[in-house]
Amino acid sequence: MGILYEKVQLMKELKRQHVIHQLIEMGIHEYEGREIGELDYDRLKYILALARLKN
């Protein structure tokens, strides 16, 4: 079961990194005074959605 947990965590981190990459490409490096690298996946998805709505 440890291997499954590790794979799930790896997938979550890969998705998080993908969203961070998309935000950086859009010129977003921080949100509310915090670097985007500090934020969790759910907050990053929210920021990405807002950014897409504004464009």
mmCIF file of all heavy atoms in Angstrom, residues 12-33:
data_model
loop_
_atom_site.group_PDB
_atom_site.id
_atom_site.type_symbol
_atom_site.label_atom_id
_atom_site.label_comp_id
_atom_site.label_asym_id
_atom_site.label_seq_id
_atom_site.Cartn_x
_atom_site.Cartn_y
_atom_site.Cartn_z
ATOM 1 N N LYS A 12 -0.160 13.996 -7.640
ATOM 2 C CA LYS A 12 -0.623 15.281 -7.123
ATOM 3 C C LYS A 12 0.432 16.360 -7.327
ATOM 4 O O LYS A 12 0.129 17.482 -7.717
ATOM 5 C CB LYS A 12 -0.974 15.175 -5.634
ATOM 6 C CG LYS A 12 -2.263 14.467 -5.353
ATOM 7 C CD LYS A 12 -2.542 14.453 -3.862
ATOM 8 C CE LYS A 12 -3.823 13.758 -3.516
ATOM 9 N NZ LYS A 12 -4.067 13.747 -2.069
ATOM 10 N N GLU A 13 1.674 16.015 -7.062
ATOM 11 C CA GLU A 13 2.759 16.990 -7.215
ATOM 12 C C GLU A 13 2.979 17.344 -8.687
ATOM 13 O O GLU A 13 3.230 18.508 -9.016
ATOM 14 C CB GLU A 13 4.054 16.466 -6.595
ATOM 15 C CG GLU A 13 5.219 17.428 -6.664
ATOM 16 C CD GLU A 13 4.977 18.767 -5.972
ATOM 17 O OE1 GLU A 13 4.128 18.873 -5.063
ATOM 18 O OE2 GLU A 13 5.655 19.746 -6.351
ATOM 19 N N LEU A 14 2.858 16.370 -9.562
ATOM 20 C CA LEU A 14 3.004 16.656 -10.992
ATOM 21 C C LEU A 14 1.904 17.594 -11.476
ATOM 22 O O LEU A 14 2.171 18.525 -12.253
ATOM 23 C CB LEU A 14 2.993 15.361 -11.802
ATOM 24 C CG LEU A 14 4.236 14.483 -11.680
ATOM 25 C CD1 LEU A 14 4.024 13.153 -12.399
ATOM 26 C CD2 LEU A 14 5.459 15.194 -12.219
ATOM 27 N N LYS A 15 0.676 17.379 -11.027
ATOM 28 C CA LYS A 15 -0.421 18.275 -11.406
ATOM 29 C C LYS A 15 -0.176 19.672 -10.855
ATOM 30 O O LYS A 15 -0.392 20.668 -11.550
ATOM 31 C CB LYS A 15 -1.763 17.724 -10.897
ATOM 32 C CG LYS A 15 -2.224 16.495 -11.647
ATOM 33 C CD LYS A 15 -3.675 16.155 -11.380
ATOM 34 C CE LYS A 15 -3.906 15.612 -10.021
ATOM 35 N NZ LYS A 15 -5.296 15.137 -9.825
ATOM 36 N N ARG A 16 0.302 19.751 -9.622
ATOM 37 C CA ARG A 16 0.605 21.043 -8.996
ATOM 38 C C ARG A 16 1.674 21.781 -9.794
ATOM 39 O O ARG A 16 1.547 22.972 -10.091
ATOM 40 C CB ARG A 16 1.051 20.812 -7.558
ATOM 41 C CG ARG A 16 1.343 22.063 -6.779
ATOM 42 C CD ARG A 16 1.731 21.705 -5.329
ATOM 43 N NE ARG A 16 2.308 22.852 -4.701
ATOM 44 C CZ ARG A 16 3.584 23.219 -4.801
ATOM 45 N NH1 ARG A 16 4.432 22.488 -5.483
ATOM 46 N NH2 ARG A 16 4.024 24.301 -4.202
ATOM 47 N N GLN A 17 2.728 21.077 -10.187
ATOM 48 C CA GLN A 17 3.810 21.693 -10.957
ATOM 49 C C GLN A 17 3.329 22.151 -12.329
ATOM 50 O O GLN A 17 3.767 23.192 -12.823
ATOM 51 C CB GLN A 17 4.983 20.717 -11.101
ATOM 52 C CG GLN A 17 5.720 20.454 -9.820
ATOM 53 C CD GLN A 17 6.358 21.693 -9.245
ATOM 54 O OE1 GLN A 17 6.851 22.556 -9.960
ATOM 55 N NE2 GLN A 17 6.340 21.809 -7.922
ATOM 56 N N HIS A 18 2.415 21.405 -12.921
ATOM 57 C CA HIS A 18 1.870 21.788 -14.223
ATOM 58 C C HIS A 18 1.094 23.104 -14.109
ATOM 59 O O HIS A 18 1.232 23.987 -14.963
ATOM 60 C CB HIS A 18 0.975 20.674 -14.767
ATOM 61 C CG HIS A 18 0.382 20.982 -16.098
ATOM 62 N ND1 HIS A 18 1.132 21.058 -17.248
ATOM 63 C CD2 HIS A 18 -0.884 21.261 -16.460
ATOM 64 C CE1 HIS A 18 0.343 21.366 -18.264
ATOM 65 N NE2 HIS A 18 -0.893 21.498 -17.816
ATOM 66 N N VAL A 19 0.289 23.241 -13.072
ATOM 67 C CA VAL A 19 -0.475 24.477 -12.875
ATOM 68 C C VAL A 19 0.475 25.640 -12.601
ATOM 69 O O VAL A 19 0.296 26.737 -13.143
ATOM 70 C CB VAL A 19 -1.515 24.317 -11.736
ATOM 71 C CG1 VAL A 19 -2.204 25.643 -11.444
ATOM 72 C CG2 VAL A 19 -2.544 23.263 -12.101
ATOM 73 N N ILE A 20 1.494 25.410 -11.812
ATOM 74 C CA ILE A 20 2.495 26.454 -11.545
ATOM 75 C C ILE A 20 3.135 26.902 -12.854
ATOM 76 O O ILE A 20 3.285 28.103 -13.107
ATOM 77 C CB ILE A 20 3.564 25.966 -10.536
ATOM 78 C CG1 ILE A 20 2.956 25.852 -9.142
ATOM 79 C CG2 ILE A 20 4.784 26.891 -10.535
ATOM 80 C CD1 ILE A 20 3.861 25.194 -8.119
ATOM 81 N N HIS A 21 3.487 25.952 -13.694
ATOM 82 C CA HIS A 21 4.093 26.276 -14.991
ATOM 83 C C HIS A 21 3.148 27.125 -15.838
ATOM 84 O O HIS A 21 3.571 28.110 -16.455
ATOM 85 C CB HIS A 21 4.470 24.986 -15.719
ATOM 86 C CG HIS A 21 5.105 25.203 -17.051
ATOM 87 N ND1 HIS A 21 6.387 25.684 -17.197
ATOM 88 C CD2 HIS A 21 4.629 25.022 -18.299
ATOM 89 C CE1 HIS A 21 6.660 25.793 -18.473
ATOM 90 N NE2 HIS A 21 5.607 25.390 -19.172
ATOM 91 N N GLN A 22 1.870 26.776 -15.867
ATOM 92 C CA GLN A 22 0.896 27.547 -16.636
ATOM 93 C C GLN A 22 0.779 28.977 -16.099
ATOM 94 O O GLN A 22 0.701 29.932 -16.876
ATOM 95 C CB GLN A 22 -0.475 26.868 -16.591
ATOM 96 C CG GLN A 22 -0.540 25.595 -17.400
ATOM 97 C CD GLN A 22 -1.896 24.941 -17.294
ATOM 98 O OE1 GLN A 22 -2.435 24.762 -16.205
ATOM 99 N NE2 GLN A 22 -2.455 24.581 -18.428
ATOM 100 N N LEU A 23 0.770 29.117 -14.780
ATOM 101 C CA LEU A 23 0.671 30.448 -14.188
ATOM 102 C C LEU A 23 1.891 31.298 -14.523
ATOM 103 O O LEU A 23 1.773 32.481 -14.846
ATOM 104 C CB LEU A 23 0.482 30.344 -12.677
ATOM 105 C CG LEU A 23 -0.879 29.824 -12.218
ATOM 106 C CD1 LEU A 23 -0.849 29.499 -10.735
ATOM 107 C CD2 LEU A 23 -1.982 30.823 -12.535
ATOM 108 N N ILE A 24 3.061 30.695 -14.461
ATOM 109 C CA ILE A 24 4.290 31.421 -14.783
ATOM 110 C C ILE A 24 4.271 31.864 -16.239
ATOM 111 O O ILE A 24 4.671 32.992 -16.554
ATOM 112 C CB ILE A 24 5.536 30.573 -14.455
ATOM 113 C CG1 ILE A 24 5.678 30.446 -12.933
ATOM 114 C CG2 ILE A 24 6.800 31.164 -15.072
ATOM 115 C CD1 ILE A 24 6.733 29.470 -12.480
ATOM 116 N N GLU A 25 3.788 31.000 -17.132
ATOM 117 C CA GLU A 25 3.688 31.375 -18.547
ATOM 118 C C GLU A 25 2.741 32.560 -18.740
ATOM 119 O O GLU A 25 2.911 33.347 -19.664
ATOM 120 C CB GLU A 25 3.205 30.197 -19.386
ATOM 121 C CG GLU A 25 4.260 29.158 -19.654
ATOM 122 C CD GLU A 25 3.762 28.031 -20.532
ATOM 123 O OE1 GLU A 25 2.534 27.874 -20.709
ATOM 124 O OE2 GLU A 25 4.616 27.298 -21.053
ATOM 125 N N MET A 26 1.752 32.695 -17.856
ATOM 126 C CA MET A 26 0.809 33.808 -17.929
ATOM 127 C C MET A 26 1.350 35.051 -17.235
ATOM 128 O O MET A 26 0.686 36.080 -17.186
ATOM 129 C CB MET A 26 -0.528 33.399 -17.301
ATOM 130 C CG MET A 26 -1.227 32.278 -18.041
ATOM 131 S SD MET A 26 -2.702 31.698 -17.189
ATOM 132 C CE MET A 26 -3.887 32.898 -17.766
ATOM 133 N N GLY A 27 2.548 34.944 -16.645
ATOM 134 C CA GLY A 27 3.169 36.084 -15.990
ATOM 135 C C GLY A 27 2.794 36.232 -14.526
ATOM 136 O O GLY A 27 3.048 37.267 -13.919
ATOM 137 N N ILE A 28 2.197 35.200 -13.950
ATOM 138 C CA ILE A 28 1.783 35.247 -12.542
ATOM 139 C C ILE A 28 2.835 34.512 -11.712
ATOM 140 O O ILE A 28 3.054 33.313 -11.896
ATOM 141 C CB ILE A 28 0.391 34.617 -12.359
ATOM 142 C CG1 ILE A 28 -0.631 35.372 -13.188
ATOM 143 C CG2 ILE A 28 0.011 34.574 -10.876
ATOM 144 C CD1 ILE A 28 -1.980 34.699 -13.294
ATOM 145 N N HIS A 29 3.467 35.243 -10.814
ATOM 146 C CA HIS A 29 4.516 34.660 -9.981
ATOM 147 C C HIS A 29 4.157 34.684 -8.506
ATOM 148 O O HIS A 29 4.795 33.989 -7.705
ATOM 149 C CB HIS A 29 5.834 35.398 -10.199
ATOM 150 C CG HIS A 29 6.307 35.312 -11.617
ATOM 151 N ND1 HIS A 29 6.990 34.234 -12.108
ATOM 152 C CD2 HIS A 29 6.157 36.158 -12.670
ATOM 153 C CE1 HIS A 29 7.264 34.418 -13.384
ATOM 154 N NE2 HIS A 29 6.762 35.591 -13.757
ATOM 155 N N GLU A 30 3.166 35.480 -8.155
ATOM 156 C CA GLU A 30 2.728 35.529 -6.763
ATOM 157 C C GLU A 30 1.251 35.857 -6.715
ATOM 158 O O GLU A 30 0.666 36.343 -7.686
ATOM 159 C CB GLU A 30 3.519 36.533 -5.951
ATOM 160 C CG GLU A 30 3.376 37.968 -6.399
ATOM 161 C CD GLU A 30 4.174 38.910 -5.517
ATOM 162 O OE1 GLU A 30 5.303 38.568 -5.131
ATOM 163 O OE2 GLU A 30 3.641 39.988 -5.218
ATOM 164 N N TYR A 31 0.644 35.546 -5.575
ATOM 165 C CA TYR A 31 -0.776 35.805 -5.378
ATOM 166 C C TYR A 31 -0.976 36.223 -3.930
ATOM 167 O O TYR A 31 -0.545 35.505 -3.018
ATOM 168 C CB TYR A 31 -1.594 34.555 -5.691
ATOM 169 C CG TYR A 31 -3.088 34.750 -5.565
ATOM 170 C CD1 TYR A 31 -3.787 35.459 -6.531
ATOM 171 C CD2 TYR A 31 -3.792 34.246 -4.483
ATOM 172 C CE1 TYR A 31 -5.155 35.647 -6.431
ATOM 173 C CE2 TYR A 31 -5.158 34.423 -4.375
ATOM 174 C CZ TYR A 31 -5.836 35.128 -5.351
ATOM 175 O OH TYR A 31 -7.190 35.317 -5.238
ATOM 176 N N GLU A 32 -1.569 37.367 -3.748
ATOM 177 C CA GLU A 32 -1.808 37.934 -2.416
ATOM 178 C C GLU A 32 -0.528 37.959 -1.578
ATOM 179 O O GLU A 32 -0.524 37.616 -0.399
ATOM 180 C CB GLU A 32 -2.914 37.169 -1.698
ATOM 181 C CG GLU A 32 -4.270 37.299 -2.358
ATOM 182 C CD GLU A 32 -5.376 36.560 -1.626
ATOM 183 O OE1 GLU A 32 -5.088 35.712 -0.754
ATOM 184 O OE2 GLU A 32 -6.541 36.839 -1.954
ATOM 185 N N GLY A 33 0.564 38.340 -2.224
ATOM 186 C CA GLY A 33 1.832 38.487 -1.523
ATOM 187 C C GLY A 33 2.594 37.202 -1.261
ATOM 188 O O GLY A 33 3.641 37.227 -0.623
#
